[in-house]
PDB file of all heavy atoms in Angstrom:
ATOM      1  N   MET B 521      62.374  92.101  93.278  1.00 48.00           N
ATOM      2  CA  MET B 521      62.576  92.364  91.850  1.00 48.00           C
ATOM      3  C   MET B 521      61.491  91.657  91.041  1.00 48.00           C
ATOM      4  O   MET B 521      61.277  90.456  91.201  1.00 48.00           O
ATOM      5  CB  MET B 521      63.958  91.853  91.440  1.00 48.00           C
ATOM      6  CG  MET B 521      64.571  92.635  90.309  1.00 48.00           C
ATOM      7  SD  MET B 521      66.117  91.889  89.785  1.00 48.00           S
ATOM      8  CE  MET B 521      67.111  92.065  91.244  1.00 48.00           C
ATOM      9  N   LYS B 522      60.811  92.427  90.177  1.00 53.00           N
ATOM     10  CA  LYS B 522      59.728  91.832  89.406  1.00 53.00           C
ATOM     11  C   LYS B 522      60.276  90.900  88.341  1.00 53.00           C
ATOM     12  O   LYS B 522      59.813  89.779  88.179  1.00 53.00           O
ATOM     13  CB  LYS B 522      58.887  92.934  88.763  1.00 53.00           C
ATOM     14  CG  LYS B 522      57.460  92.926  89.280  1.00 53.00           C
ATOM     15  CD  LYS B 522      56.505  93.817  88.481  1.00 53.00           C
ATOM     16  CE  LYS B 522      57.142  94.849  87.610  1.00 53.00           C
ATOM     17  NZ  LYS B 522      56.650  96.202  87.786  1.00 53.00           N
ATOM     18  N   LYS B 523      61.275  91.435  87.622  1.00 76.00           N
ATOM     19  CA  LYS B 523      61.797  90.650  86.503  1.00 76.00           C
ATOM     20  C   LYS B 523      63.189  90.136  86.866  1.00 76.00           C
ATOM     21  O   LYS B 523      64.116  90.911  87.043  1.00 76.00           O
ATOM     22  CB  LYS B 523      61.878  91.539  85.266  1.00 76.00           C
ATOM     23  CG  LYS B 523      61.409  90.825  84.012  1.00 76.00           C
ATOM     24  CD  LYS B 523      61.213  91.795  82.861  1.00 76.00           C
ATOM     25  CE  LYS B 523      61.731  91.155  81.580  1.00 76.00           C
ATOM     26  NZ  LYS B 523      62.833  91.862  80.971  1.00 76.00           N
ATOM     27  N   GLU B 524      63.314  88.833  86.954  1.00 86.00           N
ATOM     28  CA  GLU B 524      64.619  88.249  87.298  1.00 86.00           C
ATOM     29  C   GLU B 524      65.536  88.263  86.084  1.00 86.00           C
ATOM     30  O   GLU B 524      65.087  88.165  84.943  1.00 86.00           O
ATOM     31  CB  GLU B 524      64.418  86.800  87.747  1.00 86.00           C
ATOM     32  CG  GLU B 524      63.925  86.667  89.165  1.00 86.00           C
ATOM     33  CD  GLU B 524      64.928  85.905  90.021  1.00 86.00           C
ATOM     34  OE1 GLU B 524      65.638  85.066  89.462  1.00 86.00           O
ATOM     35  OE2 GLU B 524      64.990  86.186  91.227  1.00 86.00           O
ATOM     36  N   TRP B 525      66.828  88.377  86.347  1.00 92.00           N
ATOM     37  CA  TRP B 525      67.782  88.251  85.251  1.00 92.00           C
ATOM     38  C   TRP B 525      67.718  86.823  84.711  1.00 92.00           C
ATOM     39  O   TRP B 525      67.445  85.885  85.465  1.00 92.00           O
ATOM     40  CB  TRP B 525      69.197  88.495  85.765  1.00 92.00           C
ATOM     41  CG  TRP B 525      69.473  89.918  86.093  1.00 92.00           C
ATOM     42  CD1 TRP B 525      68.804  91.018  85.647  1.00 92.00           C
ATOM     43  CD2 TRP B 525      70.520  90.392  86.958  1.00 92.00           C
ATOM     44  NE1 TRP B 525      69.376  92.150  86.177  1.00 92.00           N
ATOM     45  CE2 TRP B 525      70.419  91.806  86.974  1.00 92.00           C
ATOM     46  CE3 TRP B 525      71.514  89.773  87.690  1.00 92.00           C
ATOM     47  CZ2 TRP B 525      71.293  92.593  87.716  1.00 92.00           C
ATOM     48  CZ3 TRP B 525      72.383  90.555  88.416  1.00 92.00           C
ATOM     49  CH2 TRP B 525      72.275  91.965  88.438  1.00 92.00           C
ATOM     50  N   PRO B 526      68.025  86.647  83.420  1.00 95.00           N
ATOM     51  CA  PRO B 526      68.003  85.285  82.871  1.00 95.00           C
ATOM     52  C   PRO B 526      69.087  84.394  83.489  1.00 95.00           C
ATOM     53  O   PRO B 526      70.076  84.883  84.030  1.00 95.00           O
ATOM     54  CB  PRO B 526      68.251  85.493  81.381  1.00 95.00           C
ATOM     55  CG  PRO B 526      68.745  86.874  81.220  1.00 95.00           C
ATOM     56  CD  PRO B 526      68.302  87.665  82.407  1.00 95.00           C
TER      57      PRO B 526
END
Side-chain angles (χ1 to χ4, degrees):
Chain B
M521 210 185 297
K522 243 191 342 232
K523 222 168 139 242
E524 281 241 331
W525 288 339

